[in-house]
Amino acid sequence: MATVHLRIGDLVWGKLGRYPPWPGKIVSPPKDLKKPRGKKCFFVKFFGTEDHAWIKVEQLKPYHPHKEEMIKINKGKRFQQAVDAVEEYLKKAKGKDQTHSDDKSKSDKGRKAAKPMKIIEEDDEDAFKGGSSDKPASSMEPITKRLKIIEEDTRSTSIQAADSTAINGSITPTDKRIGFLGLGLMGSGVVSNLLKMGHVVTVWNRTAEKCDLFIQEGARLGRTPAEVVSMCDITFSCVSDPKAARDLVLGPSGVLQGIRPGKCYVEMSTVDPETIMELAQVITSRGGRFLEAPVSGSQQLSNDGMLVIVAAGDRSVYEDCSSCFQAMGKTSFFIAGEAGNAARMMLIINMVQGSFMATIAEGLTLAQATGQSQQTFLDILCHGQMASTFVDQKCQNILQGNFKPDYYLKHIQKDLRLAISMGDSVNHPTPMAAAANEVYKRAKALDQSDNDMSAVYRAYIH
């Protein structure tokens, strides 16, 4: 590997903790900040945030040679703002350099050429904050309304990535009227991103007050699920469990009352395949078009427009939802075959995730019980083959005692239960999931249902 020589003022991609490689600039550290001992590192200020840190040289890459590579593998709103901030910074620097050159050419004719001006200014705070607003930038604030879409290519005959992409461009929202039912942890982020990307959205929620914020952002209000479906071309729903999904469709003033030929209904809730097949049957019996599209992710990923969507059912509905899926997700997959296949896949995904979370909690508590440092346990995990944003975030939650829900514990336990039942239906053993399910049931008995799934940790310490 060729040696890359870096110096103060260079633009770089730096890897900081659980975050993806992020654009930044090497700067001089504050005088009172000592350089860490050990491997060679540089002090980096990251664009679009207030973050700065010592970064090991092996975690740094020059900005320009790796720009296209990084843009293709990252897509979040915060990331896009950071890239936009770099480009704006470069424009300003180029303008300063041009002005300087013009001035020098006029005043220095006949004199010996001076050393070139250093155009990277270390105190240009606006560039790092992503703009010139008086409001301080926060690493948790949304970055921009632009969203880059990454085209996924898969050779599978049964799974195909989303067809409609807009590399390096903004999403063109569909002209179809969109409805959305359910504004919980996941649904709220989805609706917010649909609105930001210019979609016309009508919302409904069982607790009507949750609609107020979205009405202020430009959404329309539907009084009942039936009214939303009758007003819209495509209606999405995202609720907590199979009973809620059935009630929404079959209950009084439910979806079925508003279905007419050609109306599209997209079920995004994670439920069992039997529920999906029942809903598909009743929707299509009224001339409606049905798609299931459960999502993999969390509240934060929903807010960031970084969900993974797994769809099955009517392929033409999937295609009609293209701009919506681009707004709400990192990528989407269509699984061929009958409706219910996406539910099966999502239950398997969540079964693995839930079992893994229980194992992480078990490891943390065993480390503590044997006198080992839980922080060291986490550091080792995050520097090994099991390193992931999921591991880092959930372990940090546990160490900080922060169990604010990002994905409800009661919902991951529901998914485990449904996955185990699905295994039973095909006589397939699921012993790991069954063991994890018992731990989550214990956590629920300890009143942890409405906490984050990482609160399964408490089942091991009580």
Side-chain angles (χ1 to χ4, degrees):
M1 181 183 294
T3 302
V4 177
H5 298 285
L6 298 171
R7 59 185 178 181
I8 290 176
D10 286 351
L11 298 180
V12 293
W13 297 96
K15 187 76 172 65
L16 176 62
R18 65 180 181 271
Y19 297 104
W22 207 264
K25 184 180 71 172
I26 297 175
V27 298
S28 297
K31 293 180 180 179
D32 59 348
L33 189 62
K34 294 182 179 180
K35 186 175 181 179
R37 295 180 179 179
K39 294 186 177 180
K40 185 177 182 181
C41 55
F42 289 95
F43 192 73
V44 177
K45 291 184 71 174
F46 291 95
F47 285 85
T49 78
E50 294 182 326
D51 294 332
H52 50 270
W54 288 103
I55 306 295
K56 294 177 181 178
V57 69
E58 60 264 29
Q59 297 292 334
L60 294 171
K61 292 183 178 181
Y63 178 79
H64 291 288
H66 295 276
K67 176 182 173 183
E68 294 304 319
E69 168 195 347
M70 296 303 176
I71 287 177
K72 286 181 179 179
I73 64 174
N74 297 306
K75 185 180 78 79
K77 294 184 179 67
R78 292 182 56 233
F79 176 81
Q80 182 57 51
Q81 186 189 29
V83 173
D84 290 346
V86 177
E87 298 306 312
E88 183 63 28
Y89 175 77
L90 288 172
K91 287 180 183 178
K92 289 167 63 177
K94 183 177 180 181
K96 291 177 183 178
D97 189 39
Q98 182 63 48
T99 300
H100 177 79
S101 298
D102 291 344
D103 291 343
K104 294 296 286 183
S105 64
K106 293 176 182 178
S107 61
D108 291 350
K109 285 183 178 180
R111 287 196 287 173
K112 185 177 180 180
K115 292 182 179 179
M117 176 185 177
K118 182 178 180 182
I119 62 173
I120 306 251
E121 299 177 3
E122 295 178 16
D123 58 354
D124 189 355
E125 293 294 332
D126 287 343
F128 290 94
K129 293 180 180 179
S132 58
S133 170
D134 292 335
K135 182 180 179 182
S138 164
S139 61
M140 297 303 292
E141 289 178 346
I143 284 194
T144 180
K145 291 186 178 180
R146 293 178 57 212
L147 182 63
K148 300 212 184 265
I149 303 303
I150 300 174
E151 184 170 12
E152 297 283 341
D153 180 24
T154 174
R155 303 303 176 189
S156 169
T157 57
S158 61
I159 301 180
Q160 299 175 6
D163 303 295
S164 180
T165 59
I167 301 296
N168 295 330
S170 299
I171 292 171
T172 301
T174 178
D175 59 1
K176 297 183 183 298
R177 295 163 297 179
I178 304 301
F180 205 95
L181 311 174
L183 299 173
L185 290 184
M186 307 294 277
S188 293
V190 168
V191 170
S192 181
N193 282 309
L194 287 172
L195 291 170
K196 288 175 183 176
M197 296 304 148
H199 295 84
V200 177
V201 186
T202 300
V203 297
W204 174 90
N205 191 71
R206 185 175 56 183
T207 306
E209 291 76 14
K210 285 190 175 182
C211 297
D212 294 345
L213 177 62
F214 301 99
I215 301 304
Q216 294 172 19
E217 293 181 2
R220 301 171 182 179
L221 179 64
R223 292 174 296 179
T224 65
E227 182 176 87
V228 173
V229 172
S230 65
M231 293 169 59
C232 298
D233 302 303
I234 303 172
T235 300
F236 296 87
S237 71
C238 188
V239 293
S240 58
D241 56 35
K243 182 180 184 304
R246 286 192 177 95
D247 289 347
L248 196 61
V249 173
L250 304 173
S253 300
V255 167
L256 201 59
Q257 303 300 315
I259 288 292
R260 300 289 183 272
K263 295 284 186 181
C264 300
Y265 188 65
V266 183
E267 181 57 80
M268 302 192 78
S269 313
T270 301
V271 297
D272 56 284
E274 291 75 22
T275 294
I276 290 296
M277 289 187 286
E278 178 185 354
L279 297 182
Q281 193 278 323
V282 296
I283 294 294
T284 55
S285 70
R286 297 288 182 92
R289 301 160 63 202
F290 182 86
L291 182 76
E292 58 166 331
V295 296
S296 178
S298 62
Q299 181 184 34
Q300 187 59 55
L301 292 175
S302 177
N303 292 343
D304 291 344
M306 294 289 282
L307 296 170
V308 174
I309 299 124
V310 181
D314 189 328
R315 177 64 189 247
S316 66
V317 179
Y318 174 72
E319 292 168 351
D320 287 344
C321 292
S322 176
S323 73
C324 296
F325 289 156
Q326 289 174 13
M328 65 181 74
K330 175 168 61 174
T331 190
S332 62
F333 297 90
F334 184 83
I335 301 182
E338 64 180 1
N341 278 343
R344 295 181 180 95
M345 180 66 77
M346 191 56 63
L347 288 177
I348 295 168
I349 295 294
N350 286 359
M351 177 190 75
V352 171
Q353 181 172 267
S355 300
F356 185 40
M357 181 69 252
T359 301
I360 293 171
E362 189 171 294
L364 278 167
T365 51
L366 182 59
Q368 185 179 48
T370 56
Q372 306 305 303
S373 165
Q374 291 182 320
Q375 183 61 58
T376 300
F377 170 80
L378 171 57
D379 291 343
I380 294 170
L381 277 183
C382 289
H383 283 82
Q385 290 182 316
M386 296 174 66
S388 68
T389 301
F390 179 81
V391 170
D392 190 17
Q393 288 179 337
K394 296 307 181 185
C395 286
Q396 292 292 356
N397 285 354
I398 291 171
L399 296 182
Q400 295 167 14
N402 172 24
F403 298 108
K404 179 181 177 181
D406 195 37
Y407 194 97
Y408 284 119
L409 184 144
K410 62 186 177 184
H411 289 169
I412 199 69
Q413 190 273 323
K414 173 262 298 181
D415 295 343
L416 280 164
R417 173 172 53 81
L418 294 177
I420 293 166
S421 177
M422 185 171 70
D424 289 343
S425 71
V426 292
N427 197 32
H428 185 82
T430 52
M432 300 299 104
N437 187 45
E438 293 303 313
V439 184
Y440 283 99
K441 285 161 63 176
R442 168 66 176 162
K444 287 177 66 177
L446 294 170
D447 201 27
Q448 301 300 310
S449 290
D450 292 323
N451 282 333
D452 185 69
M453 63 186 294
S454 54
V456 69
Y457 173 84
R458 289 179 168 167
Y460 289 98
I461 60 176
H462 288 87

